[in-house]
Amino acid sequence: MIIAERKPLQQIFEMLKSYRRIGILGCGTCVTVCMAGGQKEAEELAAALTIHRRREKEPVEVEAFTIERQCEYEYIEQVKDRLAGYEVILSLGCGVGVQTLVERMPELRVLPGVNTQSMGYPLEQGVWVERCLGCGDCVLHVTLGICPITRCAKSILNGPCGGSSGGKCEIDPEVDCAWHLIHERMEKMGRLSELQAIQPPKDWSVSHHGGPRTVVREEVKLDRGQ
Amino acid sequence: MIAGSKLEKVIRSGQFAVTGELGPPKSADLTMLKQHGEALRNHVEAFNITDNQTAIVRTSSIACGAVLVQMGLEPIIQITVRDRNRIGIQGDVLGAVALGIKNILCLSGDHQKFGNEQQAKGVYDIDSMQLLDGLRKLRDEGRFIGGDKVGAPVSYYLGAVANPFADPFEYRVDRLEKKIAAGASFIQTQCIFDLARFKKWMELVRERGLHKKVAIMGGVTPIKSLGAARYMKNNVSGIIIPDEIITRLQGAKKKKEEGLKIAIETIQQLKEIEGVAGVHVMAIAWEEVVPEIVERAGLYPRPKL
Ligand code: SF4
Ligand code: SF4
């Protein structure tokens, strides 16, 4: 899932300063699960904004509502007219949601209410960890299911480096060294010798570094005209 | 002979080699760097020039290396993979060769979070192993990492680092083996304070005959004060400072002299370990004591070539 965090309230208040009629749009998928931008958070934010404006003696009309996914046209479609009725939309969807809204309704003003962080999962209640950077050429078969691109601070393919100490990464004694974990797992599975192969430089051209990516699959395309 | 550097010659002659280290300044004024280089001229074969050490912006290692070459001194330029991608690094290596630099040391580099540009984007396009392997192929096969042909042959003596004090311990010998396969002709280790662990590592190294395939230079750093020792013990990942060293410094009246003594004794012990080909003395911000250390450790005069 995509993990996000609500932007600091002060920043949100500042972004919305010049608007009177505001729609706060939650998203019912990833950001609901990571408790950053679902209906509950949208309502809380609407309440906070109202109180803030009352204190500032700046009236505001704010409404909070949520769609299933901001990153798909068909869900946006269902609330198109309602969205058009606001001066501005504060989206609590991830960065993809904000952009899908803008692409579908170019006349709309949409501001981001969350900072989109990463792709990962909830490790425990209240803790979300990053696990994938979408590098475009997955190496998890080589590293036995632990991603060094994401979890190693230097994204190295031949680790652990000389900063690995007691299973932790040199950047922070709280952060696991991904390569220590990989080494451990290799050892358990009797595959340590595989680590002796020099992994060649990664092909970053299939990652974001090659420019924005589009996946096209002709066989599943619908010819909408017919 | 690969590149014919002084360091390579001393190592190949089988004599115990000594290298020093110079840290470029946070300015373009290289007066001190030159002074230190001059003061150590007859005491070391070559000088490591750090590459934006601990991710702090400094004059580039290649520029400082070129200045040393002009002075008739020999640099070992460090190249990290933190700040440049494969395009930048390979271009800089060609430039370094053109400027007369003959020794290159490949390493990952400390993460940018330790430096003075903590908001920087770390590059890490390739890792230190891939860097080593890539520079070996650039030299020996005349191909860039991407496969394109190098216009004319280049030569340099390639080195890498090893840290016997990092974990997992057993892997550290595997990693050394891997670095040899990738192209390292010489190895400089992390500063040695825990001699027992270093000796154990060397045993494993000898078991596999790795000391015959690569010149291992033990890293030695004189400790200036008790505070410095404590700081390294508690804050620097990948360095082990045994309690005895702390106790010894605590008990000593003259801390600096004690720090020197520890360094000198370490070198003397390293000389006795089979398979140790030399020492790398890192006395950053205390360069002036290097001649004394080298002399008192019985490594002076340096071999004439
Ligand atoms: S290797 Fe790439 S695709 Fe696979 S988990 Fe890591 S970042 Fe994601
Ligand atoms: S300590 Fe481990 S996780 Fe951290 S940079 Fe080194 S190999 Fe990567």
Side-chain angles (χ1 to χ4, degrees), chain A residues 151-154 156 159-164 168-171 176-180:
Chain A
R151 299 187 62 186
C152 163
K154 298 174 187 169
I156 66 179
C161 80
S164 181
K168 299 297 172 182
C169 173
E170 68 172 40
I171 63 157
D176 288 332
C177 166
W179 274 103
H180 190 100

Side-chain angles (χ1 to χ4, degrees), chain A residues 45-64:
Chain A
L45 192 55
L49 183 63
T50 310
I51 294 168
H52 169 75
R53 287 291 184 90
R54 205 177 292 144
R55 232 182 259 144
E56 302 284 307
K57 302 203 167 38
E58 292 283 349
V60 69
E61 260 178 77
V62 51
E63 286 170 359

Side-chain angles (χ1 to χ4, degrees), chain B residues 76 103-107 132 157-161 183-188:
Chain B
I76 301 166
N103 306 299
I104 298 179
L105 187 81
C106 303
L107 58 176
L132 199 54
Y157 194 47
L158 267 182
V161 293
S185 296
F186 68 100
I187 291 285
Q188 291 175 338

